[in-house]
Amino acid sequence: MTAEPIVQVSRLTRDFKLGRAAGRHAVLRAVDDVNFDIGRGETLGLVGESGSGKSTIGRMMIGLLAPSQGDIRLFGKSITGGQGRANLAAVRRRLQFVFQDPYSSLNPRMRVGDAVAEPMDIAGRTPPRERQERIAQLFEMVGLPPAFATRFPHEFSGGQRQRIVIARALALNPDFVVCDEAVASLDVSMQAQIVNLLMDLQDRLGLSYLFIAHDLAIVKAISHRVAVLYAGEVVEIGDKRRLYAAPRHPYTQALLQAVPRPVVGRVRTPPIKGELLSVLNRPQGCSLSPRCPHAAERCRAEKPRLREVEPGWQVACHFHESIRPAQPGSSSS
Ligand SMILES: Nc1ncnc2c1ncn2[C@@H]1O[C@H](COP(=O)(O)OP(=O)(O)OP(=O)(O)O)[C@@H](O)[C@H]1O
Ligand SMILES: [Mg+2]
């Protein structure tokens, strides 16, 4: 990885004020003191169950939502704080996003070629011939025949539509792409194809990704490093190989155990039961403590901080050394 990360997130926090019905001063802390960085050409996988704050982080990264506290630096410029808006405008072309549902992100009445060219059209006029060539080039990059450009979104499969959305995201040559559940609506074989496409594009174009998903299986192939989010907090972050082979945090262990494996006639029960805690009623100690099979007195009293357990690997658990890693299954990648 290059020395200078192109994405630097520090102490990122986002509160949502809830309506009166939820109580007078009710504030939901959806993202709590999150830190990470992403290098050029690197993918950080961001994983956590529904409501853990993944999309809130993703939306802040592309300037759709302002942080309550903390800082986001993209390409060395802070998009928060005093110069935030100006800096965001300056780097906007270099960042893009791909969301879950390719159908709702494409205008059903717009030919897909025009949809792909839309970012260029918004950025300024491109001579027609050059525009045509760029559309064809973008279609080729995502593995679609350029002749498809005159069709409409409904004429494509879900996987093809996601390719179109990716082509549009690439139109202005971005450096950093936030993919929020970009393959979640697709079936497993299609997921693998889109993940492979994103990896090829990363190799060819040097892209960096924040790749958001709710389970560890989906992010495994694409990620270089993985951050595991629980109730808005990063509980473990580290290099993919080590994290999958021997996860240190009980929550990461549980997520890995929940990954379905093709064992005929046997269903594994994830060791962590219950619902994501209400982010409104955060316990004093470790947020996971009400659900954690290893929770002890200390966990309920004292919040564990993220600590480095090996260079490039951080875990927020008082007992990460003494708890036995659950068998994460095959450690092959
Ligand atoms: N605009 C908002 N107003 C109030 N609460 C919000 C808002 N956006 C998100 N939240 C809350 O913040 C928390 C995190 O939501 P977020 O959408 O980031 O979760 P997520 O990890 O992306 O979940 P999913 O996997 O379901 O997409 C949730 O409790 C959600 O209800
Ligand atoms: Mg989400």
Side-chain angles (χ1 to χ4, degrees):
M1 205 204 308
T2 48
E4 178 74 357
I6 66 164
V7 175
Q8 294 160 286
V9 169
S10 52
R11 312 221 62 177
L12 187 65
T13 298
R14 174 68 205 204
D15 295 329
F16 290 111
K17 290 199 181 79
L18 299 182
R20 249 196 228 148
R24 231 179 167 184
H25 302 289
V27 168
L28 182 145
R29 180 150 290 187
V31 175
D32 192 2
D33 200 6
V34 164
N35 299 276
F36 59 79
D37 51 31
I38 306 176
R40 180 170 300 283
E42 187 186 37
T43 301
L44 178 70
L46 181 63
V47 175
E49 67 202 291
S50 186
S52 55
K54 306 180 296 295
S55 296
T56 304
I57 292 176
R59 289 166 67 208
M60 289 191 281
M61 300 301 297
I62 53 176
L64 281 180
L65 189 70
S68 304
Q69 292 168 50
D71 187 31
I72 299 171
R73 297 181 83 80
L74 300 175
F75 318 110
K77 287 183 194 306
S78 170
I79 63 160
T80 51
Q83 290 297 303
R85 287 177 87 84
N87 285 343
L88 181 62
V91 301
R92 178 133 263 162
R93 287 178 73 124
R94 302 176 67 183
L95 70 133
Q96 278 298 333
F97 49 88
V98 175
F99 291 140
Q100 170 167 0
D101 183 0
Y103 204 56
S104 66
S105 31
L106 291 170
N107 179 344
R109 280 185 287 275
M110 188 186 269
R111 292 181 197 279
V112 295
D114 292 330
V116 164
E118 207 177 15
M120 291 189 272
D121 297 342
I122 292 170
R125 220 183 97 79
T126 314
R129 183 162 171 182
E130 203 179 302
R131 183 178 179 277
Q132 217 49 44
E133 281 168 2
R134 179 66 176 152
I135 292 172
Q137 185 187 34
L138 288 163
F139 270 66
E140 270 163 10
M141 278 163 81
V142 299
L144 289 174
F148 284 9
T150 55
R151 299 187 181 179
F152 290 93
H154 73 266
E155 298 176 74
F156 295 92
S157 71
Q160 289 174 322
R161 278 199 290 267
Q162 200 57 300
R163 288 175 192 267
I164 293 163
V165 170
I166 292 167
R168 183 176 58 186
L170 298 178
L172 298 178
N173 275 319
D175 294 295
F176 173 49
V177 183
V178 174
C179 302
D180 188 353
E181 304 277 8
V183 300
S185 65
L186 306 173
D187 67 43
V188 173
S189 69
M190 200 56 76
Q191 285 183 348
Q193 285 185 32
I194 298 294
V195 164
N196 284 337
L197 170 65
L198 289 168
M199 290 166 70
D200 284 350
L201 292 168
Q202 179 168 61
D203 284 348
R204 284 169 64 182
L205 307 171
L207 298 171
S208 305
Y209 296 127
L210 177 67
F211 191 85
I212 296 173
H214 54 268
D215 84 59
L216 276 163
I218 294 178
V219 306
K220 187 172 184 182
I222 198 169
S223 301
H224 299 100
R225 285 183 302 131
V226 173
V228 178
L229 201 62
Y230 185 78
E233 300 165 29
V234 172
V235 296
E236 181 159 9
I237 180 167
D239 161 74
K240 185 234 323 238
R241 257 170 227 289
R242 285 179 292 173
L243 187 139
Y244 278 79
R248 299 281 188 105
H249 197 281
Y251 184 63
T252 315
Q253 294 174 0
L255 280 184
L256 268 177
Q257 291 234 315
V259 170
R261 278 184 296 277
V263 180
V264 180
R266 261 183 64 200
V267 179
R268 269 172 185 273
T269 338
I272 293 212
K273 299 200 175 71
E275 305 254 305
L276 181 67
L277 70 113
S278 156
V279 232
L280 281 168
N281 305 311
R282 221 175 260 281
Q284 183 191 353
C286 174
S287 293
L288 186 66
S289 58
R291 289 171 80 186
C292 181
H294 308 285
E297 219 30 66
R298 184 177 175 203
C299 307
R300 286 180 273 272
E302 181 195 338
K303 192 176 185 62
R305 302 274 155 221
L306 260 186
R307 271 188 297 252
E308 189 163 87
V309 295
E310 278 180 27
W313 191 356
Q314 292 176 299
V315 179
C317 175
H318 293 308
F319 295 108
H320 70 84
E321 272 169 340
S322 55
I323 56 174
R324 284 175 65 84
Q327 288 304 307
S330 136
S331 57
S332 62
S333 57

